[in-house]
Amino acid sequence: MGGSLAGLLAAHVLAGHADRVTIVERDRFSDGTGPRPGVPQGRHPHVLLQGGQVALESLLPGFLAELQAAGAPRVGMPSDMVLWQNGRWFRRLPATTHIYTGSRAQLEELVRRRVLANPAVSVSEGTDAVGLLGDAARVRGVLLRDRSGGAGAEQRALEADLVVDASGSATKAPKWLAAIGAETPHEETIDTGLAYASRVYRGRNGVLDGETLGCFVYPGPDQIHGGGALPLEDGSHLVIVSGLRGDEPPTDDDEFETYTKRLAHPLLDRWLDDAEPLSPAFGYRRTANIRRRYDLLRRPAGFLATGDALCTFNPIYGQGMAIAAMSAVALRDALADRRRTPTTRRVQQAVLAASRLAWDISAGADRKMPGAIGTAVAGGPADRVADWYLRRVTERSPGDPVVGRAFRSVVTLSAPVTALFAPPVAWAVLFRPPGPTPAEPPATPEEPEG
């Protein structure tokens, strides 16, 4: 259920274990690469983190070369960006990781083309899933309805040995499970009320090109407004601004540009003075972290959740596409493990584990934001100790090469959190003061030492 990245990649994996895999998708795919109605955040910035790149290349060999050939910008961090966090500009040290910042639609189109080339995978487009078949012990299929017929269209049953919910954060699967008498998952939530708005621009003054591909001001407890500009595949930039509940960015075009004055530095505002707008401003407000604990359920068999239907993150951290790919790798590896029978619960636990680091990063940061609400906001004594250490990490990452490298490896999901406790990193965090950082936005990258 769902034909976005998580659904496509799950279908790709399952095609190696089934005679037929059917993707049920409410939208109809167009020939272009524009945003789809079923991806409400599709007009907003997306990044493919290093951990997601590794996962996608493992699932679809040669994919990163295709992505680069299609023009998706590959941005070195921190060398290619002007970055601000916690009152400090980052040194533009040589890149230790890279992200792709092209449009979500472009990346999804490339994945869809690869996955649907497999004759075992088919798509039922323009189709709503409206319920589940089965009982408390096992899910045995889905109820479908053709969207062209409206709410009164006749329903039809599609039987299946396995149903995978990849329908996104607005999933109705818990309600459908309850309707067949099955257990439903406990939901962990953290909601800061963060909202953002985005608009496409083409720069005119040469600030964000050449050696500087983009800029970003990260929000935090002491500076709740964030924003920046990320390069797209056609040479334009996607500009985003964010605020919290009660101070949401406007979608009026003029007010959107005025809102950028709330950032901690006028860099973005000055760039917009000479930039040409290419689109209206679009808003997005569903940014809560939600984790559905299907891994704790013993029944029903025959049902898995993945992607945002399982674990949704505040989009400001850019983790969603990476976790969709990493979850598919976890599904592939769990099904291929000959040492253990791949029961529904065991596979679900493996898929959820793929998102644990991203949850710890996103939820850990958001629970410290003013006004955060939800069932998982409160932390225990261990969380307070971790918060103290991580605060020292973030204070040092803009200016310390050792701490910065480790910090980037973790937040890009390419290394476990233990990388932050390696002896050289821990020594710098515990015993060295934060290193010097630029007083103004650094115009050029630093040369490599030696």
Side-chain angles (χ1 to χ4, degrees):
M1 299 187 292
S4 292
L5 284 177
L8 288 167
L9 294 173
H12 173 71
V13 169
L14 293 170
H17 300 267
D19 296 326
R20 183 176 70 256
V21 179
T22 303
I23 299 173
V24 177
E25 171 52 48
R26 67 190 307 272
D27 287 341
R28 291 194 177 277
F29 298 125
S30 66
D31 294 333
T33 57
R36 292 191 291 110
V39 185
Q41 74 278 31
R43 298 182 183 275
H44 301 282
H46 283 75
V47 299
L48 182 61
L49 303 177
Q50 190 84 38
Q53 296 169 37
V54 173
L56 268 171
E57 189 68 16
S58 173
L59 293 163
L60 304 172
F63 180 81
L64 295 182
E66 290 184 27
L67 191 61
Q68 281 193 268
R74 183 173 182 261
V75 179
M77 302 290 282
S79 59
D80 295 340
M81 294 278 288
V82 174
L83 303 170
W84 184 98
Q85 186 175 30
N86 295 330
R88 311 181 78 202
W89 295 104
F90 280 66
R91 292 175 58 188
R92 293 180 62 179
L93 297 162
T96 60
T97 189
H98 290 80
I99 61 174
Y100 284 92
T101 63
S103 66
R104 158 69 180 260
Q106 181 196 57
L107 188 142
E108 186 177 297
E109 167 66 19
L110 292 173
V111 171
R112 184 164 58 242
R113 192 182 306 161
R114 289 283 298 269
V115 172
L116 298 187
N118 187 334
V121 180
S122 63
V123 182
S124 181
E125 299 180 51
T127 303
D128 279 326
V130 295
L132 295 173
L133 305 173
D135 50 39
R138 186 173 190 88
V139 171
R140 294 183 171 85
V142 293
L143 284 172
L144 305 178
R145 183 176 61 207
D146 191 327
R147 299 197 80 211
S148 63
E154 184 177 352
Q155 297 181 4
R156 57 188 172 90
L158 175 63
E159 295 184 354
D161 297 304
L162 175 67
V163 172
V164 178
D165 182 15
S167 59
S169 59
T171 175
K172 297 178 181 177
K175 181 176 72 173
W176 295 341
L177 287 168
I180 62 173
E183 289 183 84
T184 60
H186 168 68
E187 291 189 358
E188 300 171 334
T189 62
I190 300 176
D191 185 4
T192 65
L194 181 137
Y196 56 87
S198 306
R199 194 180 186 192
V200 180
Y201 287 83
R202 190 175 301 279
R204 292 172 174 161
N205 60 10
V207 172
L208 298 183
D209 58 18
E211 293 185 304
T212 301
L213 300 183
C215 65
F216 210 89
V217 171
Y218 293 101
D222 300 322
Q223 162 56 39
I224 62 172
H225 298 102
L230 295 175
L232 295 174
E233 58 268 19
D234 63 357
S236 63
H237 282 77
L238 189 49
V239 174
I240 180 174
V241 287
S242 68
L244 296 185
R245 189 182 295 110
D247 188 19
E248 295 89 350
T251 54
D252 175 88
D253 292 344
D254 292 334
E255 292 180 9
F256 175 88
E257 296 191 5
T258 301
Y259 195 89
T260 63
K261 298 182 186 298
R262 304 187 188 198
L263 300 186
H265 191 278
L267 174 68
L268 182 62
D269 183 51
R270 291 171 182 168
W271 182 76
L272 289 179
D273 285 342
D274 294 318
E276 175 192 4
L278 302 180
S279 79
F282 295 92
Y284 191 71
R285 298 189 178 187
R286 287 169 45 191
T287 61
N289 302 279
I290 304 172
R291 182 162 64 172
R292 298 176 176 90
R293 299 305 303 269
Y294 287 105
D295 60 304
L296 302 178
L297 306 183
R298 295 191 176 276
R299 298 283 181 91
F303 178 88
L304 294 172
T306 189
D308 284 355
L310 176 63
C311 199
T312 305
F313 312 98
N314 185 337
I316 205 73
Y317 303 107
Q319 301 165 318
M321 295 198 304
I323 292 303
M326 294 168 71
S327 296
V329 169
L331 175 63
R332 179 196 66 188
D333 293 348
L335 294 177
D337 187 353
R338 297 184 179 277
R339 300 168 300 172
R340 310 179 75 186
T341 301
T343 63
T344 301
R345 187 182 186 195
R346 188 167 287 161
V347 175
Q348 186 67 84
Q349 288 171 339
V351 173
L352 183 72
S355 65
R356 187 161 294 135
L357 175 58
W359 174 266
D360 290 343
I361 292 169
S362 182
D366 276 6
R367 65 166 50 99
K368 297 191 287 289
M369 294 294 286
I373 58 175
T375 63
V377 169
D383 293 308
R384 288 191 287 273
V385 173
D387 288 346
W388 175 85
Y389 186 86
L390 291 174
R391 184 171 62 252
R392 294 178 69 87
V393 169
T394 56
E395 288 171 350
R396 285 153 180 78
S397 61
D400 189 305
V402 173
V403 178
R405 174 188 288 269
F407 182 68
R408 286 186 292 277
S409 71
V410 173
V411 298
T412 59
L413 308 178
S414 55
V417 72
T418 51
L420 299 178
F421 299 91
V425 181
W427 176 266
V429 170
L430 296 173
F431 301 113
R432 283 209 301 261
T437 55
E440 292 294 328
T444 58
E446 296 185 20
E447 293 294 331
E449 294 184 4

